[in-house]
Amino acid sequence: MPRVGGKAKTRKAVAKRFKVTGTGKILRRKQGARHLLQGKNSKRKRRLGQAALVSDADLRNVRENLPFSR
């Protein structure tokens, strides 16, 4: 949701979920690591603990909500 005029504000909910790297890439957590873990093998659970990059399709929306992260 772009803001028309006025002061740019950071969406705090978005700021808590994403991290911006030094080169400007945006990292996110992977879904699926919270519950029902006994049905997932160790390798899969280990990979779910690692951060992933935000896809190009979602990048613009995340950036709009983090105006001071560039």
Side-chain angles (χ1 to χ4, degrees), residues 5 9 11 16-17 19 23 33 35 37 39 41 48-49 54:
K9 289 190 171 184
R11 292 283 177 116
K16 291 169 188 173
R17 286 169 172 78
K19 179 182 181 229
T23 57
H35 63 123
L37 295 174
N41 61 33
L48 289 173
V54 171

Side-chain angles (χ1 to χ4, degrees), residues 10 12 28 34 43 63-64:
T10 297
K12 298 309 250 179
R28 64 170 176 85
R34 291 286 178 195
K43 180 180 178 180
R63 282 231 164 94
E64 277 180 358

Side-chain angles (χ1 to χ4, degrees), residues 7-66:
K7 189 172 185 176
K9 289 190 171 184
T10 297
R11 292 283 177 116
K12 298 309 250 179
V14 176
K16 291 169 188 173
R17 286 169 172 78
F18 298 96
K19 179 182 181 229
V20 182
T21 64
T23 57
K25 295 175 184 171
I26 299 179
L27 297 176
R28 64 170 176 85
R29 302 281 299 169
K30 289 183 183 168
Q31 58 108 38
R34 291 286 178 195
H35 63 123
L36 300 177
L37 295 174
Q38 55 192 8
K40 298 166 186 165
N41 61 33
S42 301
K43 180 180 178 180
R44 182 172 166 195
K45 287 187 279 192
R46 198 163 49 245
R47 298 234 185 282
L48 289 173
Q50 297 174 347
L53 288 174
V54 171
S55 72
D56 293 336
D58 299 322
L59 211 49
R60 183 171 169 252
N61 289 329
V62 175
R63 282 231 164 94
E64 277 180 358
N65 288 304
L66 296 174

